[in-house]
Amino acid sequence: AALRDSERNLIAAQASAKIGSWRRDLQTNSSVWSAEMYRIFGFDPDAPPPAIEQLIAKVHLEDQAQFIAVYETYLDGQRACQLDFRYFSQDGAMLWIEAKSEPLFDSAGTLIALTGTAQDISDRKRIEQDLEVSRQFLAECQSIAQIGGWEIDLQTRKLTWTEETYRIHDTSPAEFTPTIDAGISYFL
């Protein structure tokens, strides 16, 4: 009963975090996917895990070469791998997936299995893209208005300038690292 409860909790946690797990036994060349792996990639959980060609066919064309290169490194099994890639779901929506794998060795140091996770990070990627658009818009507005900006981290006392602030003071990050004292000297 405790094992079934633990398994149900794991399934619920994976669904909530949108993270699936898998394991490939190299002795039997068989793979096992969690229910969430099947959901993320849009395959039937009652079927065996899909062939790599089925996955590659749904990876965004611009990401396929890197996906294949990381897959070949993964097959080597000598080191952990990580890759973010775009993937087309069953309904045609584009998902961002963060995939990680790592080798498992027995006590003699022989590679016996590969294990890993895949997480749907689409929400995070959308937020990152929105943030980048906002940053670019702010930089454009500052340039048009010729208004710079700066920020001080009160804990570290680190001063950060925007590109427009550097331009206004006719300097660059390569030429000048702003500190609170040096930054104040520009205004005195």
Side-chain angles (χ1 to χ4, degrees), residues 84-101:
D84 292 356
F85 62 93
R86 292 166 289 178
Y87 183 86
F88 291 101
S89 68
Q90 293 291 58
D91 64 3
M94 189 182 71
L95 305 175
W96 274 97
I97 307 293
E98 178 184 75
K100 295 181 180 183
S101 69

Side-chain angles (χ1 to χ4, degrees), residues 16-44:
S16 179
K18 297 181 181 180
I19 188 168
S21 59
W22 57 269
R23 180 183 169 105
R24 181 174 180 187
D25 184 318
L26 298 176
Q27 310 301 313
T28 63
N29 200 29
S30 62
S31 295
V32 175
W33 276 23
S34 70
E36 189 63 12
M37 280 290 288
Y38 281 101
R39 191 205 61 75
I40 289 170
F41 288 100
F43 289 97
D44 179 0

Side-chain angles (χ1 to χ4, degrees), residues 52-73:
I52 189 63
E53 294 78 14
Q54 291 175 281
L55 292 172
I56 292 170
K58 295 173 84 176
V59 171
H60 192 285
L61 192 57
E62 293 175 7
D63 298 340
Q64 283 184 1
Q66 187 178 14
F67 182 92
I68 292 167
V70 170
Y71 177 73
E72 289 170 356
T73 300

